[in-house]
Coordinates of all heavy atoms in Angstrom, one line a residue:
M22 N 115.8 -32.4 6.0 CA 115.6 -32.1 4.6 C 116.8 -32.4 3.8 O 117.9 -31.9 4.0 CB 115.3 -30.6 4.5 CG 114.7 -30.1 3.1 SD 114.4 -28.4 3.0 CE 113.3 -28.1 4.4
S23 N 116.7 -33.3 2.8 CA 117.8 -33.7 2.0 C 118.0 -32.8 0.9 O 117.2 -32.2 0.3 CB 117.5 -35.1 1.4 OG 118.5 -35.5 0.5
A24 N 119.3 -32.7 0.4 CA 119.6 -31.7 -0.7 C 119.7 -32.6 -2.0 O 120.4 -32.1 -2.9 CB 120.9 -31.1 -0.3
Q25 N 119.0 -33.7 -2.0 CA 119.0 -34.4 -3.3 C 118.1 -33.7 -4.3 O 117.1 -33.2 -3.9 CB 118.4 -35.9 -3.0 CG 119.3 -36.6 -2.1 CD 118.7 -38.0 -1.9 OE1 117.6 -38.3 -2.3 NE2 119.3 -38.7 -0.9
T26 N 118.5 -33.8 -5.6 CA 117.7 -33.1 -6.6 C 116.4 -33.7 -7.0 O 115.6 -33.0 -7.5 CB 118.6 -32.9 -7.9 OG1 119.0 -34.2 -8.3 CG2 119.8 -32.1 -7.6
S27 N 116.2 -34.9 -6.5 CA 114.8 -35.5 -6.7 C 113.9 -34.9 -5.7 O 112.6 -35.0 -6.0 CB 114.9 -37.0 -6.6 OG 115.3 -37.4 -5.3
D28 N 114.3 -34.3 -4.7 CA 113.4 -33.7 -3.7 C 113.2 -32.2 -4.1 O 114.2 -31.6 -4.3 CB 114.1 -33.7 -2.3 CG 113.5 -32.9 -1.2 OD1 112.3 -32.8 -1.2 OD2 114.3 -32.5 -0.4
P29 N 111.9 -31.7 -4.2 CA 111.8 -30.3 -4.5 C 112.6 -29.3 -3.7 O 113.1 -28.3 -4.2 CB 110.2 -30.1 -4.4 CG 109.7 -31.4 -4.5 CD 110.7 -32.4 -3.9
A30 N 112.6 -29.5 -2.4 CA 113.3 -28.5 -1.5 C 114.9 -28.7 -1.9 O 115.5 -27.7 -1.9 CB 113.0 -29.0 -0.1
G31 N 115.4 -29.9 -2.0 CA 116.8 -30.0 -2.3 C 117.1 -29.5 -3.6 O 118.2 -28.9 -3.8
H32 N 116.2 -29.6 -4.5 CA 116.4 -28.9 -5.9 C 116.5 -27.5 -5.8 O 117.3 -26.8 -6.4 CB 115.4 -29.4 -6.9 CG 115.5 -28.9 -8.2 ND1 116.5 -29.3 -9.1 CD2 114.8 -28.0 -8.9 CE1 116.4 -28.7 -10.2 NE2 115.4 -27.9 -10.1
A33 N 115.6 -26.9 -5.0 CA 115.6 -25.4 -4.8 C 116.9 -25.0 -4.1 O 117.5 -23.9 -4.5 CB 114.3 -25.0 -3.9
L34 N 117.3 -25.7 -3.1 CA 118.5 -25.3 -2.3 C 119.8 -25.3 -3.3 O 120.5 -24.4 -3.4 CB 118.8 -26.3 -1.2 CG 117.9 -26.1 0.0 CD1 118.1 -27.4 0.9 CD2 118.1 -24.9 0.7
S35 N 119.9 -26.4 -4.1 CA 121.1 -26.4 -5.0 C 120.9 -25.4 -6.1 O 121.9 -24.8 -6.6 CB 121.3 -27.9 -5.5 OG 120.1 -28.5 -6.0
G36 N 119.6 -25.2 -6.5 CA 119.5 -24.2 -7.6 C 119.8 -22.8 -7.1 O 120.4 -22.1 -7.9
L37 N 119.5 -22.4 -6.0 CA 119.8 -21.1 -5.5 C 121.2 -21.0 -5.3 O 121.8 -19.9 -5.6 CB 119.0 -20.8 -4.1 CG 119.3 -19.3 -3.5 CD1 119.0 -18.3 -4.5 CD2 118.6 -19.2 -2.2
A38 N 121.9 -22.0 -4.7 CA 123.2 -21.9 -4.4 C 124.1 -21.7 -5.8 O 125.0 -20.9 -5.8 CB 123.9 -23.1 -3.6
A39 N 123.6 -22.5 -6.7 CA 124.3 -22.4 -8.1 C 124.0 -21.0 -8.7 O 125.1 -20.4 -9.3 CB 123.8 -23.5 -9.0
E40 N 122.9 -20.5 -8.6 CA 122.5 -19.1 -9.1 C 123.4 -18.1 -8.5 O 123.8 -17.2 -9.2 CB 121.0 -18.9 -9.0 CG 120.5 -17.6 -9.6 CD 120.5 -17.6 -11.1 OE1 120.3 -18.7 -11.7 OE2 120.6 -16.5 -11.6
L41 N 123.5 -18.2 -7.2 CA 124.3 -17.2 -6.4 C 125.8 -17.2 -6.9 O 126.3 -16.2 -7.1 CB 124.1 -17.3 -5.0 CG 122.8 -16.9 -4.3 CD1 122.7 -17.4 -2.9 CD2 122.7 -15.4 -4.3
R42 N 126.2 -18.5 -6.9 CA 127.7 -18.6 -7.3 C 127.9 -18.1 -8.8 O 128.9 -17.4 -9.0 CB 128.1 -20.0 -7.2 CG 128.3 -20.4 -5.7 CD 129.0 -21.8 -5.6 NE 128.1 -22.9 -6.0 CZ 127.3 -23.6 -5.2 NH1 127.3 -23.4 -4.0 NH2 126.6 -24.7 -5.7
S43 N 126.9 -18.3 -9.6 CA 127.0 -17.7 -11.0 C 127.0 -16.2 -11.1 O 127.6 -15.7 -12.0 CB 125.9 -18.3 -12.0 OG 124.7 -17.7 -11.7
R44 N 126.5 -15.6 -10.0 CA 126.5 -14.1 -9.9 C 127.7 -13.6 -9.1 O 127.7 -12.4 -8.6 CB 125.1 -13.7 -9.3 CG 123.9 -14.0 -10.2 CD 122.7 -13.8 -9.4 NE 121.5 -14.1 -10.2 CZ 120.7 -13.3 -10.8 NH1 120.9 -12.0 -10.7 NH2 119.6 -13.7 -11.4
G45 N 128.6 -14.5 -8.6 CA 129.7 -14.0 -7.9 C 129.5 -14.0 -6.4 O 130.3 -13.4 -5.7
V46 N 128.5 -14.6 -5.9 CA 128.2 -14.5 -4.5 C 128.7 -15.9 -3.9 O 128.0 -17.0 -4.4 CB 126.8 -14.2 -4.2 CG1 126.5 -14.3 -2.7 CG2 126.3 -12.9 -4.7
D47 N 129.5 -15.9 -2.9 CA 129.8 -17.1 -2.1 C 128.5 -17.7 -1.6 O 127.8 -17.0 -0.8 CB 130.8 -16.8 -1.1 CG 131.3 -18.1 -0.4 OD1 131.4 -19.1 -1.0 OD2 131.7 -17.9 0.8
A48 N 128.3 -19.0 -1.8 CA 127.0 -19.6 -1.2 C 127.3 -21.1 -1.0 O 128.0 -21.8 -1.8 CB 125.9 -19.6 -2.3
T49 N 126.9 -21.6 0.1 CA 126.9 -22.9 0.5 C 125.6 -23.6 1.0 O 124.9 -22.9 1.7 CB 128.0 -23.1 1.7 OG1 129.1 -22.4 1.4 CG2 128.2 -24.6 2.1
E50 N 125.3 -24.8 0.5 CA 124.0 -25.4 0.8 C 124.1 -26.0 2.2 O 125.2 -26.8 2.4 CB 123.6 -26.4 -0.1 CG 123.4 -25.9 -1.6 CD 123.5 -27.1 -2.6 OE1 122.6 -28.0 -2.4 OE2 124.3 -27.1 -3.5
D51 N 123.1 -26.0 2.9 CA 123.0 -26.9 4.2 C 121.6 -27.5 4.0 O 120.5 -27.0 4.5 CB 123.0 -26.0 5.4 CG 123.0 -26.8 6.6 OD1 122.4 -28.0 6.6 OD2 123.5 -26.3 7.7
G52 N 121.6 -28.7 3.4 CA 120.3 -29.4 3.2 C 119.6 -29.8 4.5 O 118.4 -30.0 4.6
D53 N 120.4 -30.2 5.6 CA 119.9 -30.7 6.8 C 119.0 -29.6 7.5 O 118.0 -29.9 8.2 CB 121.0 -31.1 7.7 CG 121.7 -32.3 7.3 OD1 121.1 -33.1 6.6 OD2 122.9 -32.5 7.6
R54 N 119.4 -28.3 7.4 CA 118.6 -27.2 8.0 C 117.8 -26.4 7.0 O 117.1 -25.6 7.4 CB 119.6 -26.3 8.7 CG 120.4 -26.9 9.8 CD 121.2 -25.9 10.7 NE 122.2 -25.3 9.9 CZ 123.0 -24.3 10.3 NH1 122.6 -23.7 11.4 NH2 123.9 -23.8 9.5
G55 N 117.9 -26.8 5.7 CA 117.1 -26.2 4.6 C 117.5 -24.7 4.4 O 116.6 -23.8 4.2
L56 N 118.8 -24.4 4.3 CA 119.2 -23.1 4.0 C 120.4 -23.0 3.0 O 121.0 -24.0 2.9 CB 119.4 -22.3 5.3 CG 120.5 -22.9 6.2 CD1 121.8 -22.2 6.0 CD2 120.1 -22.4 7.7
V57 N 120.6 -21.9 2.5 CA 121.7 -21.5 1.7 C 122.5 -20.4 2.5 O 121.9 -19.3 2.7 CB 121.4 -21.1 0.3 CG1 122.7 -20.7 -0.5 CG2 120.7 -22.3 -0.5
L58 N 123.7 -20.7 2.8 CA 124.5 -19.7 3.5 C 125.1 -18.7 2.6 O 125.7 -19.2 1.5 CB 125.6 -20.4 4.4 CG 125.0 -21.3 5.5 CD1 126.2 -22.1 6.0 CD2 124.4 -20.6 6.5
V59 N 125.0 -17.4 2.8 CA 125.5 -16.4 1.9 C 126.3 -15.4 2.8 O 125.8 -14.2 2.9 CB 124.4 -15.8 1.0 CG1 124.0 -16.8 -0.1 CG2 123.2 -15.3 1.8
P60 N 127.4 -15.8 3.3 CA 128.1 -14.9 4.1 C 128.7 -13.6 3.5 O 128.9 -12.6 4.2 CB 129.3 -15.8 4.7 CG 129.5 -16.8 3.7 CD 128.1 -17.0 3.1
G61 N 128.9 -13.6 2.2 CA 129.5 -12.5 1.6 C 128.5 -11.7 0.8 O 129.0 -10.9 0.0
A62 N 127.2 -11.8 1.0 CA 126.3 -11.0 0.2 C 126.3 -9.5 0.6 O 126.8 -9.1 1.7 CB 124.9 -11.5 0.6
A63 N 126.1 -8.7 -0.4 CA 126.2 -7.3 -0.3 C 125.6 -6.6 0.9 O 126.2 -5.8 1.5 CB 125.7 -6.6 -1.6
A64 N 124.4 -7.1 1.2 CA 123.8 -6.4 2.4 C 124.0 -7.1 3.7 O 123.3 -6.8 4.7 CB 122.2 -6.2 2.1
G65 N 124.9 -7.9 3.7 CA 125.2 -8.6 4.9 C 124.4 -9.8 5.3 O 124.2 -10.2 6.4
H66 N 123.6 -10.3 4.2 CA 122.7 -11.4 4.5 C 123.6 -12.6 5.0 O 124.6 -12.8 4.5 CB 122.0 -11.7 3.2 CG 121.0 -10.8 2.9 ND1 121.3 -9.9 1.9 CD2 119.8 -10.5 3.3 CE1 120.3 -9.1 1.7 NE2 119.4 -9.5 2.5
S67 N 123.0 -13.4 5.9 CA 123.7 -14.5 6.4 C 123.1 -15.9 5.7 O 123.8 -16.8 5.6 CB 123.7 -14.7 7.9 OG 122.4 -14.7 8.4
S68 N 121.9 -15.8 5.5 CA 121.3 -17.1 4.9 C 120.0 -16.8 4.2 O 119.3 -15.8 4.5 CB 121.1 -18.1 5.9 OG 120.3 -17.7 7.0
A69 N 119.6 -17.7 3.3 CA 118.4 -17.8 2.6 C 117.7 -19.1 3.1 O 118.3 -20.2 2.8 CB 118.4 -17.7 1.2
L70 N 116.6 -19.0 3.8 CA 116.1 -20.3 4.4 C 114.9 -20.8 3.5 O 114.1 -19.8 3.0 CB 115.5 -20.1 5.8 CG 116.6 -19.7 6.9 CD1 116.7 -18.3 6.9 CD2 116.1 -20.3 8.2
L71 N 114.7 -22.1 3.4 CA 113.6 -22.6 2.7 C 112.5 -22.9 3.8 O 112.8 -23.9 4.6 CB 114.0 -23.7 1.9 CG 113.1 -24.1 0.7 CD1 112.7 -23.0 -0.2 CD2 113.7 -25.2 0.0
R72 N 111.4 -22.3 3.9 CA 110.4 -22.5 4.9 C 109.0 -22.4 4.4 O 108.7 -21.8 3.5 CB 110.5 -21.5 6.1 CG 111.9 -21.5 6.8 CD 111.9 -22.7 7.7 NE 113.2 -22.7 8.4 CZ 114.2 -23.5 8.1 NH1 114.2 -24.2 7.1 NH2 115.3 -23.5 8.8
P73 N 108.0 -23.1 5.1 CA 106.6 -23.0 4.8 C 106.0 -21.6 4.9 O 106.4 -20.9 5.8 CB 105.9 -23.9 5.7 CG 107.0 -24.8 6.3 CD 108.2 -24.0 6.2
H74 N 105.3 -21.3 3.9 CA 104.6 -19.9 3.9 C 103.6 -19.9 3.0 O 103.7 -20.3 1.8 CB 105.6 -18.8 3.6 CG 105.0 -17.4 3.7 ND1 104.6 -16.8 4.8 CD2 105.0 -16.5 2.8 CE1 104.2 -15.6 4.6 NE2 104.4 -15.4 3.3
R75 N 102.3 -19.5 3.2 CA 101.2 -19.4 2.3 C 100.9 -20.7 1.6 O 100.6 -20.8 0.4 CB 101.5 -18.3 1.3 CG 101.5 -16.9 1.8 CD 101.7 -15.9 0.8 NE 101.7 -14.6 1.3 CZ 101.9 -13.5 0.7 NH1 102.2 -13.6 -0.6 NH2 102.0 -12.3 1.3
G76 N 101.0 -21.8 2.4 CA 100.7 -23.1 1.8 C 101.8 -23.8 0.9 O 101.5 -24.8 0.3
G77 N 102.9 -23.2 0.8 CA 103.9 -23.8 0.0 C 105.4 -23.5 0.6 O 105.4 -22.9 1.6
L78 N 106.4 -23.9 -0.1 CA 107.8 -23.6 0.4 C 108.2 -22.1 -0.3 O 107.9 -21.8 -1.3 CB 108.8 -24.5 -0.1 CG 108.8 -25.9 0.7 CD1 109.8 -26.9 0.0 CD2 109.2 -25.6 2.2
W79 N 108.8 -21.3 0.6 CA 109.1 -20.0 0.2 C 110.6 -19.8 0.8 O 111.0 -20.4 1.7 CB 108.2 -18.9 1.0 CG 107.0 -18.6 0.1 CD1 106.0 -19.5 -0.1 CD2 106.6 -17.3 -0.3 NE1 105.1 -18.8 -0.8 CE2 105.4 -17.5 -0.9 CE3 107.2 -16.1 -0.2 CZ2 104.8 -16.4 -1.4 CZ3 106.5 -15.0 -0.8 CH2 105.3 -15.2 -1.4
W80 N 111.2 -18.9 0.1 CA 112.6 -18.4 0.5 C 112.4 -17.3 1.6 O 111.6 -16.4 1.3 CB 113.4 -17.9 -0.7 CG 113.8 -18.9 -1.6 CD1 113.4 -19.2 -2.9 CD2 114.9 -20.0 -1.3 NE1 114.1 -20.3 -3.3 CE2 114.9 -20.8 -2.5 CE3 115.6 -20.3 -0.2 CZ2 115.8 -21.9 -2.6 CZ3 116.5 -21.4 -0.2 CH2 116.5 -22.1 -1.3
W81 N 113.1 -17.4 2.7 CA 113.1 -16.4 3.7 C 114.6 -15.9 3.8 O 115.5 -16.7 3.7 CB 112.7 -17.0 5.1 CG 111.3 -17.5 5.1 CD1 110.6 -18.5 4.4 CD2 110.3 -16.9 5.9 NE1 109.4 -18.6 4.8 CE2 109.1 -17.6 5.6 CE3 110.2 -15.8 6.8 CZ2 107.8 -17.3 6.3 CZ3 109.1 -15.6 7.4 CH2 107.8 -16.2 7.2
I82 N 114.8 -14.7 4.1 CA 116.0 -14.1 4.2 C 116.2 -13.8 5.6 O 115.4 -13.1 6.3 CB 116.1 -12.7 3.4 CG1 115.8 -13.0 1.9 CG2 117.5 -12.1 3.6 CD1 116.8 -14.0 1.3
R83 N 117.4 -14.2 6.1 CA 117.9 -13.9 7.5 C 119.1 -13.1 7.4 O 120.0 -13.3 6.6 CB 118.2 -15.2 8.2 CG 117.0 -16.0 8.3 CD 116.5 -16.4 9.7 NE 117.0 -15.8 10.9 CZ 117.3 -16.5 11.9 NH1 117.1 -17.8 12.0 NH2 117.6 -15.8 13.0
R84 N 119.3 -12.0 8.2 CA 120.4 -11.2 8.3 C 121.1 -11.3 9.6 O 120.5 -11.7 10.6 CB 120.0 -9.8 8.0 CG 119.3 -9.6 6.7 CD 119.1 -8.1 6.4 NE 120.3 -7.4 6.4 CZ 120.4 -6.1 6.3 NH1 119.3 -5.4 6.2 NH2 121.5 -5.5 6.3
P85 N 122.4 -11.1 9.6 CA 123.1 -11.1 10.9 C 122.6 -10.1 11.9 O 122.1 -9.1 11.5 CB 124.6 -10.8 10.6 CG 124.6 -10.7 9.0 CD 123.3 -10.7 8.5
V86 N 122.7 -10.4 13.2 CA 122.3 -9.4 14.2 C 123.2 -8.2 14.1 O 124.4 -8.3 14.0 CB 122.3 -10.1 15.5 CG1 122.0 -9.1 16.6 CG2 121.4 -11.3 15.6
Q87 N 122.5 -7.0 14.1 CA 123.3 -5.7 14.1 C 123.1 -5.0 15.4 O 122.0 -5.1 16.0 CB 122.8 -4.8 13.0 CG 123.0 -5.6 11.6 CD 122.3 -4.7 10.4 OE1 121.5 -3.8 10.8 NE2 122.5 -5.1 9.3
D88 N 124.1 -4.3 15.9 CA 124.0 -3.5 17.1 C 122.7 -2.6 17.1 O 122.5 -1.9 16.1 CB 125.2 -2.8 17.3 CG 126.4 -3.5 17.7 OD1 126.2 -4.7 18.1 OD2 127.5 -3.0 17.5
G89 N 121.9 -2.7 18.2 CA 120.7 -1.8 18.3 C 119.5 -2.2 17.4 O 118.5 -1.5 17.4
V90 N 119.6 -3.3 16.7 CA 118.4 -3.8 15.9 C 118.1 -5.0 16.4 O 118.7 -6.1 16.4 CB 118.8 -3.9 14.3 CG1 117.7 -4.3 13.6 CG2 119.4 -2.5 13.8
P91 N 116.7 -5.2 16.8 CA 116.3 -6.5 17.3 C 116.3 -7.5 16.1 O 116.0 -7.2 15.0 CB 114.8 -6.2 17.7 CG 114.4 -4.9 17.2 CD 115.6 -4.1 16.8
P92 N 116.7 -8.8 16.4 CA 116.8 -9.8 15.4 C 115.3 -10.2 14.9 O 114.5 -10.3 15.8 CB 117.5 -10.9 16.0 CG 117.3 -10.8 17.4 CD 117.2 -9.3 17.7
A93 N 115.1 -10.5 13.7 CA 113.9 -11.1 13.2 C 114.0 -12.6 13.4 O 115.0 -13.2 12.8 CB 113.8 -10.8 11.7
P94 N 113.2 -13.2 14.2 CA 113.4 -14.6 14.6 C 113.3 -15.5 13.4 O 114.0 -16.6 13.4 CB 112.2 -14.9 15.6 CG 111.4 -13.8 15.5 CD 112.0 -12.6 14.9
S95 N 112.5 -15.3 12.4 CA 112.3 -16.2 11.4 C 112.7 -15.7 10.1 O 112.6 -16.4 9.0 CB 110.8 -16.7 11.4 OG 109.9 -15.7 11.1
G96 N 113.1 -14.5 10.0 CA 113.5 -13.8 8.7 C 112.4 -13.1 8.1 O 111.3 -12.9 8.6
V97 N 112.4 -12.9 6.8 CA 111.5 -12.2 6.1 C 111.1 -12.9 4.8 O 112.1 -13.4 4.0 CB 112.0 -10.8 5.6 CG1 111.1 -10.0 4.8 CG2 112.4 -9.9 6.8
P98 N 109.9 -13.3 4.5 CA 109.5 -14.1 3.3 C 109.9 -13.3 2.1 O 109.5 -12.1 2.0 CB 108.0 -14.4 3.4 CG 107.5 -13.4 4.4 CD 108.6 -13.0 5.2
L99 N 110.5 -13.9 1.1 CA 110.9 -13.1 -0.2 C 110.2 -13.6 -1.4 O 109.6 -12.9 -2.1 CB 112.3 -13.2 -0.3 CG 112.9 -12.4 -1.5 CD1 112.6 -10.9 -1.3 CD2 114.4 -12.6 -1.5
A100 N 110.2 -15.0 -1.7 CA 109.6 -15.5 -2.9 C 109.3 -17.0 -2.7 O 110.0 -17.6 -1.9 CB 110.5 -15.2 -4.0
P101 N 108.4 -17.5 -3.5 CA 108.2 -19.0 -3.6 C 109.4 -19.7 -3.8 O 110.3 -19.1 -4.6 CB 107.1 -19.2 -4.6 CG 106.4 -17.8 -4.7 CD 107.4 -16.8 -4.5
A102 N 109.5 -21.0 -3.5 CA 110.8 -21.8 -3.7 C 111.2 -21.9 -5.2 O 112.4 -21.9 -5.5 CB 110.6 -23.1 -3.1
H103 N 110.2 -21.9 -6.1 CA 110.6 -22.0 -7.5 C 111.2 -20.8 -8.2 O 111.7 -20.9 -9.2 CB 109.3 -22.5 -8.3 CG 108.3 -21.5 -8.5 ND1 107.3 -21.3 -7.5 CD2 108.0 -20.5 -9.3 CE1 106.5 -20.3 -7.7 NE2 106.9 -19.9 -9.0
R104 N 111.2 -19.6 -7.4 CA 111.7 -18.4 -8.0 C 113.2 -18.2 -7.5 O 113.5 -17.1 -7.1 CB 110.8 -17.3 -7.6 CG 109.5 -17.4 -8.2 CD 108.5 -16.2 -8.1 NE 109.1 -15.1 -8.7 CZ 108.7 -13.8 -8.5 NH1 107.8 -13.6 -7.6 NH2 109.3 -12.8 -9.2
T105 N 114.0 -19.2 -7.6 CA 115.4 -19.0 -7.2 C 116.2 -17.9 -7.9 O 117.0 -17.2 -7.3 CB 116.1 -20.4 -7.4 OG1 116.0 -20.8 -8.7 CG2 115.6 -21.5 -6.5
S106 N 115.9 -17.7 -9.2 CA 116.6 -16.7 -9.9 C 116.2 -15.3 -9.3 O 117.1 -14.4 -9.2 CB 116.3 -16.7 -11.4 OG 116.9 -15.7 -12.1
H107 N 115.0 -15.1 -8.9 CA 114.5 -13.8 -8.4 C 115.2 -13.6 -7.0 O 115.7 -12.5 -6.8 CB 113.0 -13.9 -8.2 CG 112.4 -12.7 -7.5 ND1 112.3 -11.4 -7.9 CD2 112.1 -12.7 -6.1 CE1 111.8 -10.7 -7.0 NE2 111.7 -11.4 -5.9
V108 N 115.3 -14.6 -6.1 CA 115.9 -14.5 -4.9 C 117.4 -14.3 -5.0 O 117.9 -13.4 -4.3 CB 115.6 -15.8 -4.1 CG1 116.4 -15.7 -2.7 CG2 114.1 -15.9 -3.8
A109 N 118.0 -15.0 -5.9 CA 119.5 -14.8 -6.1 C 119.7 -13.3 -6.6 O 120.7 -12.7 -6.1 CB 120.0 -15.7 -7.1
G110 N 118.9 -12.9 -7.5 CA 119.1 -11.4 -7.9 C 119.0 -10.4 -6.8 O 119.6 -9.4 -6.8
R111 N 118.0 -10.7 -6.0 CA 117.7 -9.8 -4.9 C 119.0 -9.7 -3.9 O 119.4 -8.7 -3.4 CB 116.5 -10.0 -4.2 CG 115.2 -9.8 -5.0 CD 114.8 -8.4 -5.2 NE 114.4 -7.7 -4.0 CZ 113.3 -7.6 -3.5 NH1 112.3 -8.2 -4.2 NH2 113.1 -6.9 -2.4
I112 N 119.4 -10.9 -3.7 CA 120.5 -11.0 -2.7 C 121.8 -10.4 -3.3 O 122.5 -9.7 -2.7 CB 120.8 -12.5 -2.3 CG1 119.7 -13.0 -1.5 CG2 122.2 -12.7 -1.5 CD1 119.6 -14.4 -1.2
A113 N 122.1 -10.7 -4.5 CA 123.4 -10.4 -5.2 C 123.4 -8.9 -5.4 O 124.5 -8.2 -5.4 CB 123.5 -11.1 -6.6
R114 N 122.3 -8.2 -5.6 CA 122.4 -6.7 -5.9 C 121.9 -5.8 -4.8 O 121.8 -4.7 -4.9 CB 121.5 -6.4 -7.2 CG 120.0 -6.6 -7.1 CD 119.3 -6.1 -8.4 NE 117.9 -6.2 -8.2 CZ 117.2 -7.2 -8.5 NH1 117.6 -8.2 -9.1 NH2 115.9 -7.2 -8.3
A115 N 121.6 -6.4 -3.6 CA 121.2 -5.6 -2.5 C 122.3 -4.6 -2.1 O 123.4 -4.9 -1.8 CB 120.9 -6.5 -1.3
P116 N 121.9 -3.4 -2.0 CA 122.9 -2.3 -1.7 C 123.3 -2.4 -0.1 O 122.5 -2.9 0.7 CB 122.2 -1.0 -1.9 CG 120.7 -1.3 -1.8 CD 120.6 -2.7 -2.2
E117 N 124.5 -1.9 0.1 CA 124.9 -1.8 1.5 C 123.9 -0.9 2.3 O 123.4 0.1 1.9 CB 126.3 -1.1 1.7 CG 127.4 -2.0 1.1 CD 127.7 -3.2 1.8 OE1 127.4 -3.2 3.1 OE2 128.2 -4.2 1.4
G118 N 123.7 -1.3 3.6 CA 122.9 -0.4 4.5 C 121.4 -0.6 4.4 O 120.7 0.3 4.9
V119 N 121.0 -1.5 3.5 CA 119.6 -1.8 3.5 C 119.0 -2.2 4.8 O 119.5 -3.1 5.4 CB 119.2 -2.7 2.4 CG1 117.8 -3.1 2.3 CG2 119.6 -2.2 1.0
P120 N 117.9 -1.6 5.3 CA 117.3 -2.1 6.6 C 116.8 -3.5 6.4 O 116.4 -3.9 5.3 CB 116.1 -1.1 6.8 CG 116.0 -0.2 5.7 CD 117.2 -0.5 4.7
D121 N 116.7 -4.2 7.6 CA 116.3 -5.7 7.6 C 114.9 -5.8 6.9 O 114.0 -5.0 7.3 CB 116.3 -6.1 9.0 CG 116.2 -7.6 9.0 OD1 116.4 -8.3 8.1 OD2 115.8 -8.0 10.2
G122 N 114.7 -6.6 6.0 CA 113.4 -6.9 5.4 C 113.3 -6.2 4.1 O 112.4 -6.4 3.4
A123 N 114.1 -5.2 3.7 CA 114.1 -4.4 2.5 C 114.9 -5.0 1.5 O 115.5 -4.2 0.7 CB 114.3 -2.9 2.9
V124 N 115.1 -6.3 1.3 CA 115.9 -6.8 0.3 C 115.4 -6.6 -1.1 O 114.3 -6.6 -1.4 CB 116.0 -8.3 0.4 CG1 117.1 -9.0 -0.5 CG2 116.4 -8.7 1.9

């Protein structure tokens, strides 16, 4: 998956990364894997993935593995790809200690 802005997925990736950075969250695009890495997000999120869901591209949230908590293999669907502002807001304001999936 290319991160070129002429590509809808690439546009969504760069849009989310830019939106997160504008909110003070460190974010790096990985167009080859279709994700935005967010290592410093408040709730310990490790990445926002762009994956198929409900017939379109959606943002999925992945969190780092925590002791005693089974990892979610594919993450949790959060919003359609075009809702980058919504996803960035959820990641940027997520409180500490939120259970997996409750972004």
